[in-house]
Amino acid sequence: MSYFDAASAAPLHSVARQALLASIDEGWADPARLYREGRRARMLLDAARQAAAEAVGCRPDELVFTSSGTRAVHSGVAGATAGRRRVGRHLIVSAVEHSSVLHSAEVFEAEGGAVTRVPVTRTGAVTVESYADALRSDSALACLQSANHEVGTEQPVAAVAELCREAGVPLLVDAAQSLGWGAVEGPWSLLAASAHKWGGPSGVGLLVVRKGVRFVAQGPVDERESGRAAGFENIPAIVAAAASLRAVRAEAAAEAVRLRELTARIRARVGALVPDVEVVGDPQRRLPGIVTFSCLYVDGEALLHELDREGFSVSSGSSCTSSTLTPSHVLKAMGVLSEGNVRVSLPVGAAEEDVQRFLAALPGAVAGVREKLGAPAPVADVRGDVLVVDALGKRCPIPVIELAKVIGDVPVGGTVRVLSDDEAARLDIPAWCEMRGQEYVGEEPADRGSAYVVRRVS
């Protein structure tokens, strides 16, 4: 089985496993106690904090360990906005942030705060100008991921951090996807990360709060982790997390070159091997191991199952999966195709031959799913000079399939109205028009759902 979902969770690094096993016997005691076992546990915890701080590029007393990256984000957003409550109640996030950031923004908004969600380009990147426009005199905090978890696009964090510094607004960086590849550049103020993204054990997160940043921890606190992460520290897991971060950093430069070559091969070959595919994300400014593409006329869940049977573990942001009934918020913000979406995220050490096997298996998997979905004939009728496709009650990718089947039945300049109540159609029909060179006229209200109007151009 070839595991190609490292962006969700990287396999446990061998150094992490060794450190975890070694520290289980030494790091079980309470590090706050002064007897021998407690002092030994404290030494392990302090050494891990020092190693992690060196990797991040911060002072050890600025870094605390949390129970997860999500907890680090939630605590960071809540603490920073509370600390700057007198400045104002305005929060800035990008439209493609990880759900942990967006959920924090929703809570902030529900409690009376104002949130600006900065749009992204079609490659998934924000512009520095868009953050400049979002900054206000009452801005308490800005958030920006270092790189996107679904499409791999790197964000202009250093430039945005400098902009925020000049405006006197702290910037929180979600560095979960990138920290294993290198430190985050720029004068950022807070940083969150998660060990299982770089090959450490799950259940360990990092929260860094720079000196001088006004921060008020929320919820019950205790003496642990400077009062910013309540609860007994999992010292063996923390030691393993820090050790694996140091280990992957030592390998990062050479491994990044190798994985970039493999993902570039996937990006180039997918379009040649499989028709009607959109490769998404920035082709240059991207993480080394992530490549994402979407396939027209494909059910995302069916495709993942087919690839699983072929021996490949991949993930999807498609709305056509049982776990994702609406399109990925990232793909939606980018305005790209969501149906048949596949994210390949290669782990450290991924073999070239496994990538070749994936490229060999993909065309057959896509073709098989498309053949199964092509059987239903579209229900269409002509009302005046407009062809109407009734796709009500049918889920992604059927509305787009039925549109594609009938577009040739109208003359150039004629229109097709697709009736659909599937949320994915709002994203995928315009994306289909972009890919096929047809004109998307717009969305109109209908008795049920919406009518998506397409004009035939060629």
Side-chain angles (χ1 to χ4, degrees), residues 269-283:
R269 294 292 294 153
V270 161
L273 294 170
V274 182
D276 297 316
V277 165
E278 182 178 17
V279 182
V280 301
D282 194 292

Side-chain angles (χ1 to χ4, degrees), residues 410-454:
V410 298
V412 173
T415 59
V416 178
R417 296 178 81 246
V418 182
L419 304 178
S420 177
D421 51 6
D422 181 16
E423 176 66 22
R426 182 169 286 112
L427 178 62
D428 290 342
I429 289 176
W432 179 89
C433 293
E434 179 80 17
M435 294 175 67
R436 307 302 290 176
Q438 307 298 344
E439 178 186 355
Y440 178 63
V441 177
E443 179 181 347
E444 298 177 352
D447 292 339
R448 285 179 53 205
S450 297
Y452 301 93
V453 183
V454 176

Side-chain angles (χ1 to χ4, degrees), residues 5 7 31 63 69 121 156 164 177 184 193 195 216 231 263 276 284 336 369 372 386 394-395 399 410 414 418 442:
D5 194 23
L63 184 150
T121 66
C164 290
Q177 291 296 334
V184 178
V216 178
T263 52
D276 297 316
Q284 301 299 328
V336 297
V369 174
K372 293 175 183 176
V386 177
K394 298 177 180 178
R395 295 290 172 247
V410 298
V418 182

